Amino acid sequence: MHRPTGALALVATLAVLAVAVAGAPAYANPDHAQRELVVTGSGKATVKADIARVNFGAEVTRPTYAEATGEVRRRMSAALAALKALGIADGDITTVTYAIDSRTEAGRVVGYQATHVVRVKVRKLDGVSAVLDAAVAAGANTVRGISFDVDDPSAPIARARTLAVRDAAAKAWQLASAAGAWLDGVLTISEGSVQIGHDGGARAEPDQLEVDVTVTVRYGLLILSPYSRIFPPMF
């Protein structure tokens, strides 16, 4: 019995490989609907607060409607005049509450409570105390809260968005690799929440603020053949 020559052996080997390749699964099956991978990414950026928002006003109760509204008007006119003397612009003062409620006893109106609360943007953080002192001295008798913010948050939000998308991409690559698959491009990106505040709760002091952004990204997914696991994706 004669053994195959080198040429015949090569032809036989190629024939076997051709049959094996023809029977192997493809990298992706075009007859199937596109598979998808959906991940959520989050990004954080820190920024220093550069403005304060102070809510304060006047609240009084008087026997008549005219007395209640008149007293609130007098107090708030004096308080706002004091703020303008400190350099607060009209555009930085916004009314957030103006309400008049009747007080009744045994079904009879016995008085009226008038409330006028404004929100003041203070552009110099070291001037918050002076603003409150001036307003209270002029007649304001209620303070509803102080918060710190960023006048133009576009830059830190952009940084947080970039980090959120990168976080989503890293998760997607990790999941696809673990499943023996390839990512096949971004299908959609949607932004979730955008939040600016203190980490761990509000504090009445200038401090670094944290910008949090979340995104949801849909990727196309290519399911690889078992043979492709010999050459796993490289990251």
Side-chain angles (χ1 to χ4, degrees):
M1 179 177 182
H2 296 285
R3 292 185 180 181
T5 63
L8 291 176
L10 177 60
V11 171
T13 300
L14 291 176
V16 171
L17 287 176
V19 171
V21 171
Y27 275 75
N29 188 342
D31 295 331
H32 290 174
Q34 183 172 25
R35 295 173 173 86
E36 297 178 2
L37 174 64
V38 181
V39 295
T40 299
S42 62
K44 299 180 184 293
T46 57
V47 62
K48 196 74 173 178
D50 57 10
I51 62 170
R53 302 186 194 278
V54 182
N55 287 15
F56 72 87
E59 185 176 272
V60 299
T61 301
R62 295 292 185 270
T64 67
Y65 177 93
E67 289 175 312
T69 56
E71 178 65 9
V72 161
R73 188 182 307 112
R74 183 192 68 77
R75 286 174 175 268
M76 289 305 293
S77 294
L80 296 178
L83 296 190
K84 292 175 183 179
L86 293 177
I88 302 296
D90 288 341
D92 290 337
I93 303 173
T94 305
T95 293
V96 293
T97 301
Y98 186 84
I100 303 168
D101 299 310
S102 60
R103 293 287 181 253
T104 60
E105 290 181 5
R108 184 174 63 89
V109 175
V110 296
Y112 293 86
Q113 178 177 296
T115 305
H116 185 186
V117 177
V118 297
R119 175 174 297 149
V120 178
K121 180 190 291 187
V122 183
R123 297 181 181 275
K124 295 182 180 179
L125 295 185
D126 57 2
V128 173
S129 295
V131 166
L132 283 175
D133 290 344
V136 171
N141 62 2
T142 180
V143 177
R144 297 289 180 86
I146 304 170
S147 62
F148 295 90
D149 205 347
V150 182
D151 199 27
D152 181 7
S154 57
I157 289 176
R159 293 197 299 271
R161 281 184 180 133
T162 299
L163 294 174
V165 172
R166 290 177 180 174
D167 181 50
K171 291 177 181 177
W173 277 114
Q174 184 180 35
L175 291 170
S177 177
W182 281 101
L183 297 181
D184 188 26
V186 174
L187 302 179
T188 62
I189 300 178
S190 59
E191 185 173 70
S193 62
V194 178
Q195 299 180 342
I196 302 176
H198 290 288
D199 182 17
R203 293 164 292 189
E205 61 181 7
D207 203 352
Q208 279 197 332
L209 301 176
E210 192 170 78
V211 180
D212 296 315
V213 174
T214 61
V215 297
T216 300
V217 185
R218 292 172 56 240
Y219 292 89
L221 199 62
L222 288 175
I223 305 302
L224 307 184
S225 74
Y227 302 102
S228 67
R229 295 176 186 273
I230 302 173
F231 305 103
M234 302 298 292
F235 308 128

